Amino acid sequence: VRRIVEGEAVALATERGEEVHLDRMRAATELMREGLANRDEYIEADVAFHLTIAEATQNRMILHLMHAIRDQLERALGSIYKIPGSPERSIEDHGLIIEAMEAGKPDEARERMREHLGRVEEAVEAATAKSSRAPRS
């Protein structure tokens, strides 16, 4: 669902968004970097990044959908935060998404978002599979 909604949302945000949205996305990404040692701060900034994209679409339904899945988003981000290297990779991915948006390239922004969410999904699945194989005490 996130790949569908956020992939298209970022393309639309690239076309409709304003500099204030890019500024807020940059700030959220920097707060993620600063919050690497604090799970709650990191997740709050990550959620802000994704909600800002939804807002930048200037489409109330997309923003509503993102708010509707916010709890699931926060849970997923909590899982991702625990995977070594994943939070740092998400920060890099966010930078690539912002670059594509700044360049006015909606197709590239869409692809960057899909790659980002695909990597996140794979990391969570790998971590889940690993923990289910771990011996129980």
Side-chain angles (χ1 to χ4, degrees):
V1 169
R2 286 187 64 199
R3 275 195 237 183
I4 294 166
V5 173
E6 292 193 72
E8 294 309 310
V10 76
L12 190 57
T14 301
E15 295 170 348
R16 294 184 177 178
E18 300 172 5
E19 189 63 33
V20 67
H21 297 115
L22 289 169
D23 290 343
R24 287 176 35 210
M25 291 168 61
R26 287 185 207 101
T29 302
E30 185 56 34
L31 287 172
M32 288 170 66
R33 188 179 324 283
E34 293 169 8
L36 278 170
N38 183 306
R39 178 188 177 278
D40 292 339
E41 287 179 17
Y42 176 90
I43 291 171
E44 182 179 331
D46 200 344
V47 168
F49 176 88
H50 290 276
L51 290 178
T52 300
I53 290 172
E55 185 181 310
T57 67
Q58 298 181 37
N59 181 300
R60 287 180 285 155
M61 185 56 74
I62 292 173
L63 186 57
H64 176 75
L65 286 170
M66 286 304 295
H67 279 286
I69 65 169
R70 184 179 184 146
D71 289 344
Q72 291 84 359
L73 175 60
E74 289 174 350
R75 278 195 296 277
L77 294 174
S79 297
I80 296 157
Y81 180 82
K82 297 175 190 175
I83 300 169
S86 188
E88 294 84 357
R89 181 60 200 182
S90 286
I91 292 168
E92 292 173 23
D93 289 350
H94 286 193
L96 294 173
I97 292 165
I98 291 168
E99 286 177 17
M101 292 178 72
E102 287 172 329
K105 297 180 177 178
D107 292 336
E108 184 177 327
R110 178 188 298 113
E111 186 59 30
R112 297 289 170 255
M113 180 63 78
R114 287 182 177 161
E115 289 170 357
H116 169 56
L117 295 175
R119 256 191 295 283
V120 166
E121 187 177 311
E122 289 171 11
V124 170
E125 287 175 2
T128 302
K130 185 177 178 182
S131 68
S132 69
R133 289 190 308 262
R136 308 253 185 228
S137 306

